[in-house]
């Protein structure tokens, strides 16, 4: 199972994570692998119930899942505690992942949505591979006014980002500097869990 950011509109691709996601999908299309792709989208309705749409892309099953993730409530938290809606949605995402029974989960990039999938894989004892594309909090702060993130929100984001090192089976970094930065500002890495793969490579499965 591959989870990441929506990449259907090639002209709208803006980040390295999105371009990388498109490349992974194109590589998997037509392969012999039984693979599904999950796009976890936002939902303005405050509900932990998932709205799931399933489509096909050649041999790939594609799930578009709308879920209220509590993004703004997390970023603007007054206390370093995840919103109840995020915790409830985490349970719903875990139940969905359980119905799919994947052998392995690959999360590309990071967000609260990808954390929901990470924690689901961890809870279900499914191996999770995380592909890093920089420091998540830095990406948030680079937006205008940092999306009005609070000090408690920053602590929450740091904790969720550190969960990758705790919950992921393997972590893939594309540069030494990216790995060093995560190790310095997020949390210490376990060398046995870390793999360095340069950004330009021809993958074969």
């Amino acid at each position: 199972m591959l989870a990441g950011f929506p990449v259907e509109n090639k002209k709208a691709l803006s980040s390295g994570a999105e371009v990388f996601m498109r490349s992974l999908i194109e590589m998997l299309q037509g392969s012999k692998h039984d693979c599904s792709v999950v796009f976890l989208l936002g939902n303005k309705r405050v509900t932990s119930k998932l709205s799931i749409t399933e489509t096909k892309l050649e041999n790939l099953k594609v799930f578009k899942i709308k879920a209220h993730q509590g993004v703004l409530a997390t970023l603007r938290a007054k206390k370093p505690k995840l919103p109840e809606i995020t915790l409830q949605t985490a349970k719903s995402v875990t139940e969905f992942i359980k119905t799919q029974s994947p052998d392995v989960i690959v999360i590309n990039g990071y967000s609260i949505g990808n954390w929901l999938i990470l924690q689901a894989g961890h809870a279900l004892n499914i191996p999770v591979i995380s592909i890093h594309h920089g420091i998540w909090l830095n990406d948030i702060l680079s937006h205008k006014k940092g999306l009005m993130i609070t000090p408690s929100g920053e602590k929450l984001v740091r904790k969720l980002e550190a969960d990758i090192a705790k919950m992921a089976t393997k972590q893939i970094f594309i540069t030494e500097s990216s790995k060093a930065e995560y190790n310095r500002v997020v949390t210490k890495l376990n060398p046995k869990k870390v793999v360095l793969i340069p950004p330009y490579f021809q993958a074969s499965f």
Side-chain angles (χ1 to χ4, degrees):
M1 175 177 284
L2 174 63
F5 304 103
V7 292
E8 293 162 303
N9 184 354
K10 289 186 179 181
K11 293 182 179 180
L13 300 186
S14 58
S15 71
E18 291 171 332
V19 173
F20 200 87
M21 184 74 173
R22 164 58 65 180
S23 297
L24 287 172
I25 290 173
E26 290 178 347
M27 181 182 65
L28 287 167
Q29 281 179 258
S31 72
K32 296 180 181 179
H33 294 279
D34 181 12
C35 181
S36 57
V37 179
V38 175
F39 297 135
L40 200 54
L41 312 172
N43 187 349
K44 291 183 179 180
R45 289 185 59 207
V46 182
T47 174
S48 60
K49 185 177 180 180
L50 307 182
S51 175
I52 304 172
T53 303
E54 180 180 350
T55 58
K56 290 282 288 185
L57 189 61
E58 292 188 24
N59 60 308
L60 306 179
K61 287 191 294 185
V62 179
F63 294 97
K64 297 177 185 177
I65 304 176
K66 289 186 178 180
H68 191 89
Q69 304 167 30
V71 175
L72 291 181
T74 298
L75 298 183
R76 300 171 186 175
K78 294 181 180 180
K79 296 181 180 180
K81 181 180 179 181
L82 278 176
E84 185 61 28
I85 186 62
T86 303
L87 298 175
Q88 292 300 319
T89 299
K91 293 179 181 178
S92 298
V93 171
T94 301
E95 286 302 312
F96 166 74
I97 299 294
K98 187 176 181 180
T99 65
Q100 298 304 303
S101 302
D103 295 320
V104 63
I105 297 172
V106 178
I107 58 173
N108 181 55
Y110 210 57
S111 62
I112 289 181
N114 276 359
W115 175 83
L116 290 169
I117 294 172
L118 169 70
Q119 64 80 36
H122 180 71
L124 296 169
N125 292 314
I126 299 169
V128 179
I129 299 171
S130 174
I131 304 173
H132 290 263
H133 292 277
I135 304 301
W136 182 32
L137 180 58
N138 291 350
D139 292 339
I140 292 172
L141 295 176
S142 69
H143 285 272
K144 187 177 181 180
K145 297 182 179 179
L147 298 176
M148 297 176 66
I149 191 169
T150 63
S152 290
E154 287 194 28
K155 288 181 180 178
L156 277 173
V157 168
R158 281 284 186 238
K159 178 192 177 301
L160 297 182
E161 196 160 20
D163 280 346
I164 306 174
K166 296 176 183 177
M167 298 181 181
T169 310
K170 288 289 183 181
Q171 297 181 78
I172 296 176
F173 290 87
I174 59 178
T175 64
E176 283 284 0
S177 59
S178 175
K179 183 179 74 171
E181 182 75 354
Y182 183 95
N183 196 64
R184 184 178 68 84
V185 303
V186 181
T187 192
K188 296 297 180 183
L189 292 164
N190 180 347
K192 294 181 179 180
K193 288 186 173 184
V194 175
V195 178
L196 181 67
I197 301 179
Y200 302 109
F201 69 98
Q202 184 173 358
S204 59
F205 287 77

